[in-house]
Amino acid sequence: MAQQEIQPGAHVLGIDVGGSGIKGGIVDLDAGRLLTDRHRIATPQPATPKAVAKTVRKLVEHFTWDGAVGVAIPSIIRHGIVHSAANIDPSWIGDDAVARFSGVLDRTVWVLNDADAAGLAELHFGHARDYADGVVILLTFGTGIGSAIFVEGELLPNSELGHLELNGDDAEHWASAKVRERDNLSWEEWAGRVNTYLQHVEFLFSPDLFIIGGGVSRRSEKFFPYLETSARIIAADLENRAGVVGAAWYAAQKGEI
Ligand code: BGC
């Protein structure tokens, strides 16, 4: 995406819609850090567009925020329209997410894929900045597996590498963080799966750097020792704040804030 200059001192509310929680915080875009607590409300079930929009409004009210808002959701999103719904209600498909959130918040809201948001945050504010001239792949391990691909700092949006087929199924059904917990896998067993997946992604895209994000990135010492790729592997710097920070950064870019 063509990059605009973000105004010095810009603050934007970032919101990250996940399978189990909807998180938000006001982001200082000079430093890419949260100025407030990271407030979390459980994702309503079923996570229909109407129910999620209502929860997003509650988060905005929690911060009594009337400024710009960016929202990250776990879906393919093209020109504001949702095209997939792996871990949220299927009724999202075809929904105009930009119109929905803008309507409920009474301002223009920018919406993008959650892993793309995390990747943008890591690339602009994390160690990945040093790799801006190469190929960088961020993978988030949570309820599903999200991905963001960057070539020379440019995002290829909606890459959806969590749905690559492995052993006859979606990779995220075999190697997500949720599967580790659900199937009671040891860290070593789960890391073996992650490694098989990383090597597959490496064969297809030859990245210079993998960034491992999602909640598990805080526990990298448990599984990084079992991972082996030619590409360097690092844990996400922004940990579970990356989606919130990236959503805010994206809104600031798009809205020229
Ligand atoms: C979705 C992606 C999302 C990822 C992480 C996958 O199931 O298809 O769009 O980025 O989960 O939330």
Side-chain angles (χ1 to χ4, degrees):
M1 89 192 239
Q3 288 193 13
Q4 316 286 342
E5 279 293 311
I6 294 180
Q7 306 286 327
H11 296 168
V12 172
L13 175 58
I15 294 180
D16 184 8
V17 177
S20 60
I22 302 184
K23 289 85 66 182
I26 297 171
V27 181
D28 158 14
L29 289 162
D30 290 337
R33 66 182 174 92
L34 291 185
L35 288 172
T36 59
D37 65 319
R38 173 178 165 279
H39 190 64
R40 179 185 190 276
I41 302 180
T43 306
Q45 300 299 340
T48 58
K50 207 170 160 192
V52 169
K54 214 170 140 189
T55 309
V56 163
R57 192 175 57 209
K58 271 196 214 152
L59 266 173
V60 174
E61 284 165 2
H62 167 86
F63 291 105
T64 47
W65 180 250
D66 57 9
V69 178
V71 180
I73 64 172
S75 306
I76 296 172
I77 174 135
R78 295 177 56 204
H79 311 292
I81 309 294
V82 176
H83 288 267
S84 71
N87 292 308
I88 49 172
D89 196 73
S91 60
W92 272 99
I93 294 175
D95 200 72
D96 184 335
V98 166
R100 180 172 296 279
F101 290 123
S102 299
V104 89
L105 298 181
D106 202 19
R107 71 199 83 177
T108 304
V109 175
W110 305 97
V111 187
L112 79 167
N113 171 266
D114 58 352
D116 287 346
L120 288 169
E122 292 294 336
L123 217 79
H124 288 280
F125 301 112
H127 286 136
R129 270 182 303 197
D130 301 343
Y131 288 78
D133 60 346
V135 175
V136 175
I137 300 185
L138 167 124
L139 296 165
T140 60
F141 291 82
T143 309
I145 298 178
S147 61
I149 302 180
F150 294 89
V151 181
E152 299 193 351
E154 286 291 318
L155 172 68
L156 168 70
N158 297 309
S159 52
E160 293 294 330
L161 300 185
H163 299 281
L164 278 176
E165 195 179 307
L166 265 190
N167 305 321
D169 198 355
D170 273 18
E172 73 173 20
H173 294 159
W174 186 68
S176 71
K178 181 176 156 195
V179 169
R180 185 185 70 80
E181 286 170 13
R182 189 196 64 199
D183 296 352
N184 241 330
L185 302 176
S186 69
W187 283 103
E188 186 173 358
E189 282 167 325
W190 179 68
R193 293 185 180 195
V194 172
N195 201 43
T196 303
Y197 173 63
L198 289 182
Q199 289 185 353
H200 187 52
V201 174
E202 174 158 65
F203 173 68
L204 295 174
F205 296 98
S206 299
D208 298 298
L209 178 72
F210 279 118
I211 307 172
I212 307 299
V216 282
S217 58
R218 272 172 301 176
R219 311 194 63 190
S220 58
E221 79 288 351
K222 297 269 188 204
F223 64 104
F224 270 37
Y226 306 110
L227 305 180
E228 199 182 340
T229 59
S230 313
R232 198 167 159 223
I233 306 174
I234 62 172
D237 276 330
L238 287 96
E239 299 179 340
N240 56 7
R241 301 180 308 280
V244 168
V245 172
W249 187 89
Y250 183 73
Q253 283 283 309
K254 288 296 215 181
E256 298 181 32
I257 291 157

mmCIF file of all heavy atoms in Angstrom, residues 17-18 73-76 84-87 113-116 140 143-147 160 162-163 172, ligand 1:
data_model
loop_
_atom_site.group_PDB
_atom_site.id
_atom_site.type_symbol
_atom_site.label_atom_id
_atom_site.label_comp_id
_atom_site.label_asym_id
_atom_site.label_seq_id
_atom_site.Cartn_x
_atom_site.Cartn_y
_atom_site.Cartn_z
ATOM 1 N N VAL A 17 -10.420 -8.083 16.678
ATOM 2 C CA VAL A 17 -11.505 -9.039 16.907
ATOM 3 C C VAL A 17 -10.940 -10.454 16.778
ATOM 4 O O VAL A 17 -10.453 -10.835 15.702
ATOM 5 C CB VAL A 17 -12.638 -8.829 15.872
ATOM 6 C CG1 VAL A 17 -13.735 -9.884 16.063
ATOM 7 C CG2 VAL A 17 -13.204 -7.417 15.967
ATOM 8 N N GLY A 18 -10.968 -11.213 17.869
ATOM 9 C CA GLY A 18 -10.456 -12.581 17.824
ATOM 10 C C GLY A 18 -11.573 -13.586 18.060
ATOM 11 O O GLY A 18 -12.709 -13.203 18.363
ATOM 12 N N ILE A 73 -10.066 -7.906 11.781
ATOM 13 C CA ILE A 73 -10.962 -9.060 11.952
ATOM 14 C C ILE A 73 -10.330 -10.308 11.312
ATOM 15 O O ILE A 73 -9.522 -10.194 10.390
ATOM 16 C CB ILE A 73 -12.386 -8.801 11.387
ATOM 17 C CG1 ILE A 73 -12.370 -8.577 9.865
ATOM 18 C CG2 ILE A 73 -13.057 -7.613 12.068
ATOM 19 C CD1 ILE A 73 -13.765 -8.522 9.273
ATOM 20 N N PRO A 74 -10.720 -11.498 11.790
ATOM 21 C CA PRO A 74 -10.057 -12.721 11.302
ATOM 22 C C PRO A 74 -10.656 -13.228 9.991
ATOM 23 O O PRO A 74 -11.119 -14.357 9.904
ATOM 24 C CB PRO A 74 -10.295 -13.713 12.453
ATOM 25 C CG PRO A 74 -11.576 -13.266 13.069
ATOM 26 C CD PRO A 74 -11.662 -11.782 12.889
ATOM 27 N N SER A 75 -10.630 -12.392 8.973
ATOM 28 C CA SER A 75 -11.287 -12.717 7.700
ATOM 29 C C SER A 75 -10.527 -12.094 6.540
ATOM 30 O O SER A 75 -9.838 -11.091 6.718
ATOM 31 C CB SER A 75 -12.687 -12.096 7.632
ATOM 32 O OG SER A 75 -13.449 -12.469 8.728
ATOM 33 N N ILE A 76 -10.755 -12.659 5.370
ATOM 34 C CA ILE A 76 -10.313 -11.983 4.142
ATOM 35 C C ILE A 76 -11.197 -10.754 4.012
ATOM 36 O O ILE A 76 -12.427 -10.850 4.135
ATOM 37 C CB ILE A 76 -10.523 -12.897 2.919
ATOM 38 C CG1 ILE A 76 -9.652 -14.141 3.014
ATOM 39 C CG2 ILE A 76 -10.286 -12.123 1.631
ATOM 40 C CD1 ILE A 76 -9.936 -15.186 1.941
ATOM 41 N N SER A 84 -14.394 -14.247 3.957
ATOM 42 C CA SER A 84 -14.224 -15.559 4.591
ATOM 43 C C SER A 84 -14.556 -15.412 6.072
ATOM 44 O O SER A 84 -14.554 -14.297 6.607
ATOM 45 C CB SER A 84 -12.781 -16.052 4.446
ATOM 46 O OG SER A 84 -11.920 -15.288 5.261
ATOM 47 N N ALA A 85 -14.838 -16.544 6.721
ATOM 48 C CA ALA A 85 -15.198 -16.500 8.143
ATOM 49 C C ALA A 85 -14.867 -17.845 8.772
ATOM 50 O O ALA A 85 -15.748 -18.633 9.077
ATOM 51 C CB ALA A 85 -16.680 -16.179 8.299
ATOM 52 N N ALA A 86 -13.555 -18.095 8.974
ATOM 53 C CA ALA A 86 -13.158 -19.404 9.505
ATOM 54 C C ALA A 86 -13.439 -19.520 11.001
ATOM 55 O O ALA A 86 -13.869 -20.561 11.468
ATOM 56 C CB ALA A 86 -11.683 -19.661 9.222
ATOM 57 N N ASN A 87 -13.198 -18.436 11.750
ATOM 58 C CA ASN A 87 -13.362 -18.521 13.213
ATOM 59 C C ASN A 87 -14.356 -17.505 13.765
ATOM 60 O O ASN A 87 -14.320 -17.180 14.949
ATOM 61 C CB ASN A 87 -11.993 -18.382 13.896
ATOM 62 C CG ASN A 87 -11.117 -19.585 13.601
ATOM 63 O OD1 ASN A 87 -11.536 -20.726 13.792
ATOM 64 N ND2 ASN A 87 -9.927 -19.344 13.087
ATOM 65 N N ASN A 113 -7.532 -7.424 7.742
ATOM 66 C CA ASN A 113 -7.342 -8.764 8.315
ATOM 67 C C ASN A 113 -6.462 -8.678 9.578
ATOM 68 O O ASN A 113 -5.516 -7.889 9.633
ATOM 69 C CB ASN A 113 -6.678 -9.650 7.247
ATOM 70 C CG ASN A 113 -6.243 -10.994 7.804
ATOM 71 O OD1 ASN A 113 -5.095 -11.164 8.219
ATOM 72 N ND2 ASN A 113 -7.156 -11.937 7.851
ATOM 73 N N ASP A 114 -6.757 -9.508 10.580
ATOM 74 C CA ASP A 114 -6.041 -9.419 11.865
ATOM 75 C C ASP A 114 -4.546 -9.734 11.761
ATOM 76 O O ASP A 114 -3.715 -9.080 12.395
ATOM 77 C CB ASP A 114 -6.722 -10.303 12.933
ATOM 78 C CG ASP A 114 -6.812 -11.771 12.547
ATOM 79 O OD1 ASP A 114 -6.493 -12.142 11.404
ATOM 80 O OD2 ASP A 114 -7.221 -12.578 13.417
ATOM 81 N N ALA A 115 -4.190 -10.745 10.963
ATOM 82 C CA ALA A 115 -2.759 -11.085 10.845
ATOM 83 C C ALA A 115 -2.024 -10.000 10.044
ATOM 84 O O ALA A 115 -0.873 -9.665 10.350
ATOM 85 C CB ALA A 115 -2.594 -12.444 10.179
ATOM 86 N N ASP A 116 -2.698 -9.439 9.052
ATOM 87 C CA ASP A 116 -2.086 -8.326 8.316
ATOM 88 C C ASP A 116 -1.818 -7.163 9.272
ATOM 89 O O ASP A 116 -0.763 -6.516 9.210
ATOM 90 C CB ASP A 116 -2.992 -7.865 7.162
ATOM 91 C CG ASP A 116 -3.001 -8.858 6.001
ATOM 92 O OD1 ASP A 116 -2.121 -9.745 5.971
ATOM 93 O OD2 ASP A 116 -3.883 -8.743 5.127
ATOM 94 N N THR A 140 0.621 -15.949 12.922
ATOM 95 C CA THR A 140 0.067 -15.856 14.263
ATOM 96 C C THR A 140 -0.584 -17.193 14.614
ATOM 97 O O THR A 140 -1.361 -17.738 13.828
ATOM 98 C CB THR A 140 -0.998 -14.747 14.381
ATOM 99 O OG1 THR A 140 -2.071 -15.031 13.479
ATOM 100 C CG2 THR A 140 -0.434 -13.390 14.060
ATOM 101 N N THR A 143 -6.441 -19.133 17.795
ATOM 102 C CA THR A 143 -7.578 -20.008 17.468
ATOM 103 C C THR A 143 -7.335 -20.642 16.100
ATOM 104 O O THR A 143 -7.589 -21.817 15.876
ATOM 105 C CB THR A 143 -8.885 -19.183 17.441
ATOM 106 O OG1 THR A 143 -8.969 -18.441 18.649
ATOM 107 C CG2 THR A 143 -10.090 -20.078 17.290
ATOM 108 N N GLY A 144 -6.852 -19.835 15.158
ATOM 109 C CA GLY A 144 -6.464 -20.322 13.838
ATOM 110 C C GLY A 144 -4.982 -20.028 13.620
ATOM 111 O O GLY A 144 -4.241 -19.810 14.570
ATOM 112 N N ILE A 145 -4.556 -20.044 12.346
ATOM 113 C CA ILE A 145 -3.210 -19.545 12.017
ATOM 114 C C ILE A 145 -3.414 -18.421 11.005
ATOM 115 O O ILE A 145 -4.053 -18.616 9.963
ATOM 116 C CB ILE A 145 -2.305 -20.640 11.401
ATOM 117 C CG1 ILE A 145 -2.081 -21.788 12.394
ATOM 118 C CG2 ILE A 145 -0.961 -20.036 10.985
ATOM 119 C CD1 ILE A 145 -1.236 -22.943 11.831
ATOM 120 N N GLY A 146 -2.910 -17.247 11.359
ATOM 121 C CA GLY A 146 -3.005 -16.106 10.448
ATOM 122 C C GLY A 146 -1.651 -15.860 9.816
ATOM 123 O O GLY A 146 -0.619 -16.270 10.345
ATOM 124 N N SER A 147 -1.644 -15.167 8.668
ATOM 125 C CA SER A 147 -0.366 -14.889 8.010
ATOM 126 C C SER A 147 -0.350 -13.498 7.407
ATOM 127 O O SER A 147 -1.392 -12.957 7.021
ATOM 128 C CB SER A 147 -0.113 -15.923 6.900
ATOM 129 O OG SER A 147 -1.131 -15.857 5.927
ATOM 130 N N GLU A 160 -3.671 -15.722 3.972
ATOM 131 C CA GLU A 160 -4.400 -16.925 4.436
ATOM 132 C C GLU A 160 -3.581 -18.219 4.398
ATOM 133 O O GLU A 160 -4.087 -19.282 4.016
ATOM 134 C CB GLU A 160 -5.687 -17.113 3.610
ATOM 135 C CG GLU A 160 -6.732 -16.039 3.830
ATOM 136 C CD GLU A 160 -7.333 -16.029 5.240
ATOM 137 O OE1 GLU A 160 -7.406 -17.095 5.853
ATOM 138 O OE2 GLU A 160 -7.696 -14.943 5.717
ATOM 139 N N GLY A 162 -2.757 -20.032 6.795
ATOM 140 C CA GLY A 162 -3.250 -21.003 7.784
ATOM 141 C C GLY A 162 -4.121 -22.065 7.131
ATOM 142 O O GLY A 162 -4.361 -23.127 7.705
ATOM 143 N N HIS A 163 -4.561 -21.769 5.910
ATOM 144 C CA HIS A 163 -5.432 -22.731 5.219
ATOM 145 C C HIS A 163 -4.678 -23.543 4.172
ATOM 146 O O HIS A 163 -5.300 -24.260 3.386
ATOM 147 C CB HIS A 163 -6.632 -21.995 4.617
ATOM 148 C CG HIS A 163 -7.459 -21.316 5.666
ATOM 149 N ND1 HIS A 163 -8.370 -21.987 6.451
ATOM 150 C CD2 HIS A 163 -7.456 -20.045 6.117
ATOM 151 C CE1 HIS A 163 -8.912 -21.136 7.328
ATOM 152 N NE2 HIS A 163 -8.362 -19.955 7.139
ATOM 153 N N GLU A 172 -4.203 -25.031 9.908
ATOM 154 C CA GLU A 172 -4.602 -24.499 11.228
ATOM 155 C C GLU A 172 -5.410 -25.502 12.046
ATOM 156 O O GLU A 172 -5.509 -25.374 13.253
ATOM 157 C CB GLU A 172 -5.334 -23.159 11.101
ATOM 158 C CG GLU A 172 -6.732 -23.225 10.555
ATOM 159 C CD GLU A 172 -7.437 -21.855 10.630
ATOM 160 O OE1 GLU A 172 -6.768 -20.823 10.733
ATOM 161 O OE2 GLU A 172 -8.678 -21.862 10.563
HETATM 162 C C1 BGC B 1 -8.540 -16.829 9.173
HETATM 163 C C2 BGC B 1 -7.596 -15.689 8.921
HETATM 164 C C3 BGC B 1 -7.085 -15.141 10.231
HETATM 165 C C4 BGC B 1 -6.501 -16.241 11.083
HETATM 166 C C5 BGC B 1 -6.060 -15.752 12.446
HETATM 167 C C6 BGC B 1 -7.866 -17.870 10.041
HETATM 168 O O1 BGC B 1 -8.749 -18.902 10.319
HETATM 169 O O2 BGC B 1 -8.937 -17.441 7.965
HETATM 170 O O3 BGC B 1 -8.249 -14.672 8.177
HETATM 171 O O4 BGC B 1 -6.096 -14.168 9.965
HETATM 172 O O5 BGC B 1 -7.447 -17.273 11.277
HETATM 173 O O6 BGC B 1 -7.114 -15.195 13.169
#
